[in-house]
Amino acid sequence: MPFNKIHVPDHLPAKMCHAINDELHASLVETCAVNPDDFFCVIVRYKPGDMIFHPSFLGNRDPENTIVMEITLLRGRDDVQKERLFTDVRSRLQRIGFEPANSIMFLLENGPIDWSFSEAGSVKTVLGL
């Protein structure tokens, strides 16, 4: 059950934002066994000066074109899956014409009790976990 929040500079075209999320989701399905129907994302645009990125911390990036992919998902993936996700997403970004060096990703993990999609209650309750 991932929920992607992608922070992008306000000049990045909507088409590219959607392509980034499509590739992120496809990578989650492939590397982390995410259900293909668990497709949720919000694009958060920021104006120049509203995000502060160090241009060379653990890599070189263009701060004016950097995106941040905040991925919230159920815990349970091992380190190998997470590393594969990070590598695969950057490869996919390259293929769609987005400079992978200008991407930062992080995962937030939680459990079924922390999600609710309907009036029936938490995912834990609905699925009887």
Side-chain angles (χ1 to χ4, degrees), residues 1-17:
M1 273 169 256
F3 184 92
N4 304 326
K5 185 187 292 185
I6 305 175
H7 304 266
V8 303
D10 64 355
H11 65 268
L12 194 66
K15 184 174 181 176
M16 179 57 80
C17 296

Side-chain angles (χ1 to χ4, degrees), residues 56-117:
S56 62
F57 182 74
L58 298 177
N60 292 311
R61 70 190 52 81
D62 175 359
E64 293 183 16
N65 291 298
T66 295
I67 64 170
V68 177
M69 291 173 273
E70 181 180 340
I71 307 158
T72 304
L73 71 168
L74 288 174
R75 71 179 62 86
R77 278 67 181 197
D78 62 31
D79 290 353
V80 171
Q81 287 175 297
K82 293 173 187 179
E83 290 288 357
R84 283 184 54 225
L85 172 67
F86 296 145
T87 300
D88 189 59
V89 168
R90 287 196 169 88
S91 173
R92 290 169 182 271
L93 292 175
Q94 183 74 48
R95 286 196 301 261
I96 63 171
F98 187 86
E99 174 55 55
N102 293 334
S103 65
I104 297 170
M105 288 178 265
F106 65 93
L107 304 175
L108 300 169
E109 296 178 296
N110 57 26
I113 191 66
D114 300 312
W115 295 84
S116 179
F117 291 89

Side-chain angles (χ1 to χ4, degrees), residues 22-46:
D22 289 346
E23 295 300 335
L24 173 56
H25 182 71
S27 187
L28 283 161
V29 170
E30 185 173 314
T31 65
C32 294
V34 165
N35 182 322
D37 292 335
D38 286 345
F39 196 82
F40 304 94
C41 177
V42 63
I43 304 295
V44 180
R45 294 189 173 277
Y46 64 88

